[in-house]
Amino acid sequence: MALLHVTYFSQALAGQSEFYLALPNDVPPFMAAENPRYQRDMKTLVLLHGYSGGAADWVTGSSVQNLALQYNLALIMPNGRNSFYLNREATGEQYATFVGEELPDYVRKTFGLSARREDTFIGGYSMGGFGALHTGLAYSHNYSKIAALSSALIIHQLKELSPEAAAPMANYAYYAQTFGDLKTAEERECNPEVLIRGKLERGEPLPGIFLACGTEDMLVETNRAFRDFLRENGVSAEYHESAGMHDWKFWNQYLEPAIRWMLGEDA
């Protein structure tokens, strides 16, 4: 198992960016022979961290190296800072372009990973769950499946914020910089629901969607609302809800099931 920490110049971010890569390209022949997953091409999963996190979060918080080895899966873990993985107006703040277009192109070219969307997935937790949904939908030519754990689906609450009132996690200026006009955010393409409606209207295929949230999570109601939105619009999705909070215990509980679902091994 190779674990790489890569820095490179990102055009989308107008500067140095970083990601971790767990790459099972050094598996001993006897181990590969005993694992039928090594009889197929390697798949790729981009994993996004949450708010206030960083590129190393999945490496330190979960068993990604073991899962990469077990499932013959390249795991890409970029640093998205506190961007919600959205494009902002300022130069060097194009995080959706970074994760949706530039990063998959870079790792495919540099490490010889599959260029097929069918072999490429995206997932994340909290802010990264939102980012996985938005990126996977906006760049569905690159991603065929999405796994969103405890997603920070706060888009409908943004219009209620004001400069005078205290906001959870961050101040009004942060949300306005990240999402633009907060009164209209839910009507624009920073809202995954808007992306889904657009694809349905145009008759475009949607990526597969896997959702999970804990019943004690402060985000459970917004995740249920998104689940209901999908059902009301005839969008098939895998939804899981069980006891759990907004923490690594819950995310680790569902990471491997999400991977198995992406690989079609969820029977």
Side-chain angles (χ1 to χ4, degrees):
M1 164 57 60
L3 179 64
L4 309 176
H5 180 214
V6 180
T7 59
Y8 80 102
F9 184 85
S10 165
Q11 297 290 338
L13 303 183
Q16 292 295 314
S17 185
E18 64 170 331
F19 64 89
Y20 279 87
L21 167 61
L23 190 64
N25 64 342
D26 56 354
V27 179
F30 76 91
M31 290 182 62
E34 295 173 358
N35 187 335
R37 299 180 182 99
Y38 284 88
Q39 306 309 309
R40 58 160 171 77
D41 292 337
M42 186 182 296
K43 313 289 186 180
T44 302
L45 170 58
V46 174
L47 287 173
L48 307 180
H49 65 77
Y51 181 86
S52 75
D57 281 17
W58 283 102
V59 176
T60 58
S62 72
S63 56
V64 288
Q65 294 184 71
N66 180 62
L67 292 170
L69 183 66
Q70 182 179 350
Y71 289 97
N72 188 21
L73 190 63
L75 298 178
I76 316 296
M77 296 155 281
N79 191 338
R81 300 182 178 87
N82 292 333
S83 65
F84 267 81
Y85 305 94
L86 295 172
N87 284 342
R88 303 176 182 177
E89 292 185 8
T91 298
E93 299 285 323
Q94 309 303 301
Y95 286 93
T97 302
F98 167 57
V99 176
E101 198 77 65
E102 182 183 273
L103 185 62
D105 287 350
Y106 180 83
V107 296
R108 287 164 174 172
K109 177 181 67 176
T110 306
F111 299 99
L113 301 178
S114 173
R116 302 174 66 240
R117 72 178 293 272
E118 293 80 8
D119 294 337
T120 311
F121 319 124
I122 189 166
Y125 71 87
S126 194
M127 180 188 80
F130 175 93
L133 286 166
H134 181 270
T135 306
L137 291 164
Y139 298 87
S140 58
H141 60 283
N142 272 329
Y143 295 107
S144 62
K145 292 186 178 179
I146 300 166
L149 310 180
S150 306
S151 302
L153 292 162
I154 62 172
I155 197 77
H156 294 297
Q157 286 71 50
L158 296 176
K159 62 179 179 294
E160 301 168 5
L161 301 179
S162 68
E164 298 79 21
M169 301 297 290
N171 62 16
Y172 182 90
Y174 162 77
Y175 290 106
Q177 180 188 49
T178 302
F179 292 92
D181 183 353
L182 300 185
K183 299 300 182 186
T184 64
E186 64 183 357
E187 303 166 11
R188 292 183 278 107
E189 290 193 350
C190 56
N191 182 357
E193 295 176 8
V194 172
L195 295 174
I196 289 172
R197 289 194 188 99
K199 286 187 174 295
L200 292 175
E201 289 170 2
R202 295 187 297 271
E204 298 175 1
L206 291 166
I209 299 175
F210 179 104
L211 304 168
C213 194
T215 52
E216 287 70 53
D217 195 315
M218 66 281 195
L219 295 169
V220 67
E221 292 300 333
T222 58
N223 277 261
R224 289 170 177 166
F226 185 69
R227 172 204 62 192
D228 293 344
F229 165 83
L230 295 175
R231 290 175 176 173
E232 290 164 5
N233 285 274
V235 178
S236 177
E238 185 89 3
Y239 182 81
H240 295 269
E241 189 178 294
S242 63
M245 302 182 70
H246 201 76
D247 57 22
W248 280 106
K249 181 179 180 181
F250 183 84
W251 303 325
N252 280 317
Q253 179 183 347
Y254 281 98
L255 177 57
E256 185 170 4
I259 288 173
R260 291 181 61 85
W261 170 83
M262 288 174 167
L263 297 173
E265 300 182 11
D266 56 327

